[in-house]
Amino acid sequence: MKFEEIELSGFGKYPKALCKVARPNGIHEVLECLKSGSVISRGLGRSYGDASVNDSGIVAESLIMNKFISFDDSSGILRCEAGVTYKDILDTFVSRGWFPAVTPGTKYVTMGGALASDVHGKNHHKEGSFSSYVISFKILIASGEILECSREQNADLFWATVGGMGLTGFILETEIRLKKISSPYLVNKAVKLKNLDELFSNFEEHDADYLYSVAWMDIVASGSKYGRNILLLGNHCESTELTEKLRRKAAEKYVEKKISVPFEIPFTTLNKLSITLFNNAYYMKARSKTDFQHYDKYFYPLDFILNWNHIYSKSGLIQYQLNIPEEAGKDAVDKVLKKVVASGGGSFLAVLKKMGDQDGILSFPFKGYTLSMDFPVKKGIIEMCRELDAIVLDHGGRTYLTKDSILDEKTFKQMYNGLWEKWMDIKIKYDPENKFTSNLARRIGLCPS
Ligand SMILES: Cc1cc2nc3c(=O)[nH]c(=O)nc-3n(C[C@H](O)[C@H](O)[C@H](O)COP(=O)(O)OP(=O)(O)OC[C@H]3O[C@@H](n4cnc5c(N)ncnc54)[C@H](O)[C@@H]3O)c2cc1C
């Protein structure tokens, strides 16, 4: 098998490292990778930092191990290889009336990546994360054995692998449950709100009526505009609710249209002024209204902009995603936002949403509020994120490993206190020599000592 030397990063293009990349096309080639050194598995590289980067061994991409294995049309249970993507599933199953039960904000994510990060969507507070719909998976572990894992079989490895950032083995296959839908459209309700108080009360007010909810926050606005936001709520639409025109469109083959960010925009072009203008225009133009949206536009707006990650400059971007317990939610979000606004914001994209309870060891979600923000990598940004870490820790929260590129070992271990130790016992049982490792793992100390 060929190993290619490539400079790799995650979606944030920061940090970068020169890696030996392999593209195994079957179990025998994954085994070959393991014989050649330490390994981290990689899907489509949509994690933001260095979770699927390993500059001290091999990066094994799952992308050509991407076959559907079986599908039961009565239960919606799909078995597929780990390199199958959300896009593959949507393209194949939406027209048959099935949809992923949990989806992140991009469809360019593999099932292996979704499981290893235990991804969540806009419905987490109601329906849980990806692992809630995983029935079982097959994994190749450090000894070269292949194990089937479920809540009943090898349960410790099951729970260490969901949210385990690829550090327990190479996931070969996943068996997941899809949800039944009757149309590709969603009812989308936008509610324009003036501040955080209005947002928190609207989350509660609409909770019973909508499955999906997320708020876009303007994190540049200050003074009387501070905290303004637009709450976006949604439900899958029954085909009987659609207008005749949309019913006809729903029956046609769906064609995606994309625009592209052709080169990296220097941050001097995309400065505080331009972001303020963009946010102003977006907020002012928005109306509180209800309409129908195709699932592609509703769930994956960023996928319409090819190379979205070029928008912030050559030096890349950091996505900072925190989760704070429910009781402390508003207070902590307020403190974080004030700090970001005071430092000049600099982010188009800031979203706040509710999270529900979640099983798992290193899985990110728990009942509370999650806020994610993009920051261009520039002077002072890491120091600001460290200050945000202190607020998060102070309120019993944590940040999301799949988005992370800057967390240090001490802070990680405080944020995941009691959990990382439990996870490490299982890691040592299945991978005592630390064959599966990554730059992220070494940075935050997720390695047996
Ligand atoms: C625009 C955008 C929006 C996003 N929105 C959300 C969101 O709403 N919610 C959310 O939770 N996440 C979100 N994400 C993050 C993304 O869903 C996760 O980072 C996901 O894990 C990426 O999957 P991937 O296939 O690209 O894997 P990679 O980024 O390549 O890898 C991610 C992790 O999975 C591991 N992995 C990959 N394949 C395997 C395998 N076969 N076996 C074992 N481990 C494996 C890697 O080692 C790594 O630790 C978003 C990302 C982007 C770019």
Side-chain angles (χ1 to χ4, degrees):
M1 189 183 28
K2 274 209 324 236
F3 295 104
E4 209 181 325
E5 288 232 325
I6 304 179
E7 188 176 64
L8 275 189
S9 66
F11 189 72
K13 294 173 159 279
Y14 173 85
K16 293 179 178 163
L18 195 63
C19 299
K20 265 165 97 180
V21 180
R23 299 189 176 84
N25 70 7
I27 291 165
H28 58 292
E29 291 199 342
V30 180
L31 283 169
E32 220 179 290
C33 292
L34 260 184
K35 282 186 197 132
S36 311
S38 72
V39 173
I40 194 65
S41 322
R42 182 172 172 104
L44 279 165
R46 257 45 178 199
S47 48
Y48 275 71
D50 47 5
S52 57
V53 173
N54 179 22
D55 60 13
S56 77
I58 311 292
V59 174
E61 273 186 11
S62 64
L63 301 181
I64 46 179
M65 296 170 72
N66 65 345
K67 292 179 202 63
F68 291 126
I69 296 166
S70 62
F71 183 64
D72 178 346
D73 210 5
S74 58
S75 62
I77 293 176
L78 169 68
R79 192 163 183 105
C80 61
E81 289 185 327
V84 164
T85 65
Y86 274 92
K87 182 178 185 324
D88 298 330
I89 294 177
L90 294 161
D91 289 351
T92 311
F93 292 102
V94 168
S95 58
R96 296 163 74 164
W98 295 97
F99 200 80
V102 166
T103 178
T106 169
K107 61 189 170 185
Y108 297 105
V109 162
T110 63
M111 292 303 102
L115 199 150
S117 299
D118 197 8
V119 298
H120 58 269
K122 298 174 183 173
N123 54 344
H124 187 272
H125 57 301
K126 297 231 167 172
E127 299 193 317
S129 65
F130 185 80
S131 63
S132 310
Y133 301 89
V134 174
I135 296 159
S136 63
F137 58 85
K138 195 187 266 187
I139 186 166
L140 190 151
I141 58 168
S143 62
E145 280 172 278
I146 293 171
L147 299 178
E148 187 73 22
C149 299
S150 67
R151 286 167 180 76
E152 295 77 37
Q153 201 179 351
N154 299 309
D156 57 352
L157 187 57
F158 179 93
W159 289 115
T161 301
V162 301
M165 303 313 295
L167 301 172
T168 55
F170 187 102
I171 300 159
L172 296 165
E173 293 174 9
T174 60
E175 188 173 53
I176 58 170
R177 192 189 305 276
L178 304 183
K179 75 158 73 154
K180 194 84 190 128
I181 51 165
S182 77
S183 94
Y185 284 87
L186 287 105
V187 182
N188 170 53
K189 181 181 169 81
V191 190
K192 196 170 168 180
L193 300 166
K194 289 197 191 76
N195 52 44
L196 277 184
D197 282 336
E198 285 193 1
L199 176 59
F200 278 78
S201 62
N202 267 269
F203 269 136
E204 299 318 312
E205 192 181 313
H206 296 288
D207 207 27
D209 299 330
Y210 289 92
L211 179 57
Y212 299 105
S213 71
V214 68
W216 169 83
M217 309 282 311
D218 182 347
I219 58 167
V220 182
S222 56
S224 62
K225 294 176 185 159
Y226 167 75
R228 66 184 179 177
N229 63 85
I230 300 163
L231 176 60
L232 301 164
L233 303 152
N235 282 324
H236 288 282
C237 190
E238 293 299 323
S239 56
T240 48
E241 293 174 71
L242 294 177
T243 59
E244 189 47 44
K245 190 174 163 203
L246 284 183
R247 217 170 298 160
R248 261 187 276 118
K249 265 187 117 177
E252 288 166 12
K253 188 171 166 17
Y254 175 64
V255 184
E256 295 172 65
K257 295 189 186 88
K258 290 189 193 278
I259 57 165
S260 176
V261 179
F263 54 87
E264 283 131 339
I265 300 173
F267 187 67
T268 42
T269 312
L270 193 80
N271 56 18
K272 188 180 168 201
L273 177 67
S274 54
I275 294 176
T276 307
L277 289 173
F278 170 86
N279 283 5
N280 254 330
Y282 185 69
Y283 186 81
M284 298 317 282
K285 199 170 155 256
R287 297 275 167 271
S288 293
K289 61 168 187 187
T290 303
D291 59 3
F292 293 113
Q293 279 189 4
H294 189 269
Y295 74 82
D296 217 23
K297 191 169 168 204
Y298 184 81
F299 287 108
Y300 313 113
L302 286 184
D303 289 346
F304 283 86
I305 310 170
L306 282 174
N307 312 325
W308 161 256
N309 48 349
H310 285 185
I311 204 146
Y312 283 115
S313 81
K314 240 192 174 92
S315 44
L317 69 115
I318 290 172
Q319 180 153 113
Y320 191 93
Q321 182 166 359
L322 59 87
N323 194 27
I324 298 280
E326 199 174 31
E327 326 72 72
K330 200 162 97 187
D331 182 34
V333 167
D334 186 41
K335 282 187 186 144
V336 165
L337 285 182
K338 285 196 168 124
K339 189 152 281 299
V340 173
V341 170
S343 80
S347 170
F348 283 119
L349 257 196
V351 296
L352 181 70
K353 61 172 279 30
K354 275 180 86 168
M355 299 290 245
D357 289 321
Q358 186 63 51
D359 292 330
I361 307 175
L362 293 183
S363 288
F364 168 68
F366 58 81
K367 196 173 179 132
Y369 292 94
T370 184
L371 175 67
S372 50
M373 298 167 285
D374 282 352
F375 301 117
V377 176
K378 60 172 180 160
K379 200 163 168 265
I381 215 71
I382 294 180
E383 292 72 13
M384 187 195 72
C385 290
R386 302 259 184 258
E387 292 181 41
L388 302 187
D389 283 347
I391 302 174
V392 171
L393 265 177
D394 214 33
H395 290 82
R398 59 191 184 222
T399 58
Y400 191 8
L401 296 183
T402 209
K403 303 284 182 77
D404 176 62
S405 34
I406 56 163
L407 203 57
D408 58 56
E409 178 170 352
K410 183 168 169 237
T411 314
F412 162 69
K413 289 186 172 170
Q414 286 171 317
M415 286 178 174
Y416 288 79
N417 185 22
L419 297 167
W420 73 265
E421 298 91 327
K422 185 173 172 194
W423 181 89
M424 191 62 76
D425 287 343
I426 306 169
K427 165 82 173 171
I428 290 168
K429 175 174 166 192
Y430 290 97
D431 184 12
E433 289 167 22
N434 199 28
K435 292 288 275 180
F436 287 95
T437 185
S438 63
N439 286 19
L440 166 78
R442 290 188 290 278
R443 176 162 55 79
I444 62 171
L446 264 180
C447 312
S449 46

